[in-house]
Amino acid sequence: MVGWQSLVVAVVATASCACTLTGGQDDASPPVEQSTTDPTPEAITGGAGTGAQVGENGSDDAASPSGADPNGDLFALLGAEDQIVVQTREGDLSILTFGGQTPVDGGVNASQPVFSGDGTRLVWTAPDPGSAAGTVVIADVDDDGSTAVTATISTPLVSFYNAWAPGSRDRLAVLGTTRSGVGLAVVDVTEGTAELADVGTPYFFVWDRDGSGLVGHVAASLRTFDFEARTGLDLFDVNPSFRTPAVLSDRSTAFVAADNLLPFAGRNALIRLDAGPDGLVGATATGVARFEGTGTFTLSPDEQMLAVVVEGSLETAPIFSASTHAAGFQADDGLDRGLHLIHLETGEIRQVVDAPVRAAFWSPDGQFVLSLGFAGRVDGITWVIWQVHDREGRPVTQTDPFAVSREFGTSYLPFYDQYAQSTLLWSPDGTRFVFPGMSEEGDTGIWVHQLPSGNAGPRTAKVADGVIAFWSPG
């Protein structure tokens, strides 16, 4: 991901904390359910169909309760239809199911693995070290996790981001570095072609729901791009420190960040653009909130809620009380560091986390939001905690402290709002999420956290070795 990081402006590469919104948690909120991290988490070893556990003494014949399935945590945490793509530090890919791990056909020296929307295909980047061009590899994924390469397509750039078009398993867009800046190429799997379509720095985008175009933050503008006409139109000046626009699927509304032109605290502003007769061209702009630092926005899948993370260093994003800055766009509109939820119909803004937050991901049904906060320890390791809140802002569960993998922390988290468009940490049913990291006991690998349900409390368990993992949406 070096190409993206080097071109996206220094403020993105240095963003490491976040800011919060008005108000605190309701005193009547239920207590957060702390997960239990298995002190000797099971790990999957071997190839396809294996599920050997590592026991307390490090042996492969670890004891599980009498009568329990030998695959242990996999059968407890994964269902028959669940699939997770896992990447090792060496770039080896595998598909994890409740039956174990299956190596991905041709998945070596790979990066940026992404499932299609129906989960039946997987794409990844396979760069050619001797060329400025790159390669994407597409494989079909069977129900049992086995794969078969169906296409290897040369691209005019080395892709550091892959995103399937909505509802498609034959078309995707990729981003990579060109001589003129960040380039966007469109890959046609059926035709076996990849054509450069647009260039700009930075380049962040959201697919149109029919796959005919996109809405993006390109250079210093909100841009629409029509792939058939091969034309782009810059609509609105935006702040270069913000990344991916939040856009309703019918293009009726978009959220961006721009300079705050009002004489009140907060150098940046969250702007709502409502389309007119000509769409987003000439849209009506309304200020929603002000903030310091970098603001990032992710839309809930039902398009009723907007999650806002305000990032920035402790030096560049001073905390201020929203209640003392009531003048401006609306009452109590100043956003401090942290995570905030905005109800799009009512305009209500709710504080969810009042401490630094690094990223936020909606569950597929939009009922929960997963955020990554800091554990506040000073020992040379950046310890983080995954937290889950419901859409009303009530805490649901959180993990023990973890340190995320270097690959996830440097290549994905700085651009989490873009990856939220194409990858899933959440299981399709919204009951679990997956992440790569190291526990306090020093166990590294891929972990699954299960939310509390009924009489069962939350649980976190290691399920594989690796540094990157994403759930299949299929």
Side-chain angles (χ1 to χ4, degrees):
M1 196 85 174
V2 174
W4 204 348
Q5 291 178 346
S6 63
L7 286 167
V8 168
V9 197
V11 67
V12 174
T14 58
S16 60
C17 297
C19 308
T20 29
L21 204 133
T22 108
Q25 293 294 343
D26 190 326
D27 292 338
S29 296
V32 176
E33 293 212 45
Q34 189 81 17
S35 71
T36 299
T37 303
D38 195 329
T40 55
E42 286 79 4
I44 304 308
T45 60
T50 65
Q53 297 178 346
V54 178
E56 293 183 4
N57 59 1
S59 65
D60 288 343
D61 57 351
S64 52
S66 177
D69 192 281
N71 278 349
D73 279 335
L74 285 185
F75 279 105
L77 294 173
L78 302 182
E81 298 182 354
D82 287 319
Q83 295 184 344
I84 296 172
V85 61
V86 174
Q87 176 188 323
T88 66
R89 180 157 288 136
E90 295 73 29
D92 296 332
L93 300 180
S94 61
I95 302 295
L96 179 68
T97 69
F98 73 100
Q101 277 181 277
T102 303
V104 169
D105 179 28
V108 295
N109 193 28
S111 63
Q112 300 296 317
V114 181
F115 282 106
S116 60
D118 61 2
T120 62
R121 276 191 166 166
L122 184 72
V123 64
W124 65 88
T125 300
D128 181 354
S131 171
T135 302
V136 292
V137 182
I138 292 91
D140 285 345
V141 183
D142 207 342
D143 291 342
D144 63 359
S146 61
T147 55
V149 171
T150 56
T152 300
I153 302 173
S154 296
T155 55
L157 41 76
V158 179
S159 173
F160 52 68
Y161 177 75
N162 303 317
W164 293 93
S168 175
R169 61 194 301 270
D170 298 307
R171 197 160 186 248
L172 62 146
V174 301
L175 293 175
T177 303
T178 72
R179 293 182 178 180
S180 303
V182 177
L184 179 138
V186 179
V187 178
D188 188 315
V189 178
T190 303
E191 298 295 329
T193 60
E195 297 182 4
L196 186 65
D198 199 14
V199 177
T201 304
Y203 210 115
F204 299 96
F205 72 95
V206 178
W207 274 102
D208 288 346
R209 64 179 168 188
D210 62 359
S212 64
L214 60 81
V215 179
H217 167 199
V218 185
S221 299
L222 181 71
R223 178 180 298 180
T224 58
F225 193 89
D226 186 306
F227 290 122
E228 183 176 350
R230 283 293 192 269
T231 56
L233 182 61
D234 291 338
L235 307 179
F236 190 84
D237 291 341
V238 298
N239 192 313
S241 67
F242 121 94
R243 298 191 292 266
T244 310
V247 186
L248 268 61
S249 58
D250 61 0
R251 276 198 187 183
S252 62
T253 302
F255 293 88
V256 300
D259 291 339
N260 176 25
L261 302 180
L262 298 180
F264 307 110
R267 286 176 292 179
N268 305 310
L270 169 60
I271 304 295
R272 174 175 177 147
L273 300 173
D274 289 306
D278 297 321
L280 289 174
V281 179
T284 301
T286 306
V288 176
R290 298 168 286 109
F291 58 90
E292 292 283 351
T294 299
T296 49
F297 325 123
T298 51
L299 194 64
S300 64
D302 60 10
E303 302 188 347
Q304 296 180 5
M305 307 287 291
L306 185 70
V308 179
V309 171
V310 181
E311 304 174 27
S313 70
L314 295 176
E315 293 76 19
T316 60
I319 293 176
F320 59 89
S321 171
S323 63
T324 64
H325 298 284
F329 295 129
Q330 64 180 52
D332 294 335
D333 66 344
L335 307 188
D336 295 336
R337 261 185 224 93
L339 174 63
H340 322 284
L341 300 182
I342 300 178
H343 195 291
L344 299 190
E345 183 176 353
T346 66
E348 177 190 8
I349 302 176
R350 183 186 298 274
Q351 177 179 351
V352 176
V353 180
D354 61 359
V357 170
R358 193 67 187 92
F361 303 89
W362 287 99
S363 62
D365 60 5
Q367 295 305 305
F368 302 107
V369 61
L370 169 67
S371 63
L372 185 65
F374 297 91
R377 298 182 182 178
V378 183
D379 61 0
I381 298 175
T382 303
W383 295 102
V384 295
I385 295 177
W386 292 97
Q387 301 178 81
V388 176
H389 292 78
D390 66 18
R391 61 192 291 128
E392 301 303 321
R394 294 178 295 236
V396 175
T397 183
Q398 70 178 41
T399 68
D400 292 332
F402 279 85
V404 297
S405 70
R406 180 179 68 247
E407 290 76 7
F408 187 65
T410 59
S411 295
Y412 288 85
L413 286 180
F415 315 98
Y416 83 88
D417 46 333
Q418 181 68 84
Y419 282 102
Q421 305 293 325
S422 58
T423 59
L424 268 182
L425 295 185
W426 283 93
S427 61
D429 63 3
T431 63
R432 294 146 294 159
F433 60 88
V434 64
F435 64 94
M438 179 181 73
S439 71
E440 293 177 288
E441 291 75 29
D443 294 309
T444 61
I446 305 303
W447 302 77
V448 167
H449 179 84
Q450 188 170 44
L451 274 61
S453 177
N455 294 326
R459 181 187 179 203
T460 308
K462 181 180 173 182
V463 294
D465 292 324
V467 295
I468 297 294
F470 296 111
W471 220 291
S472 168

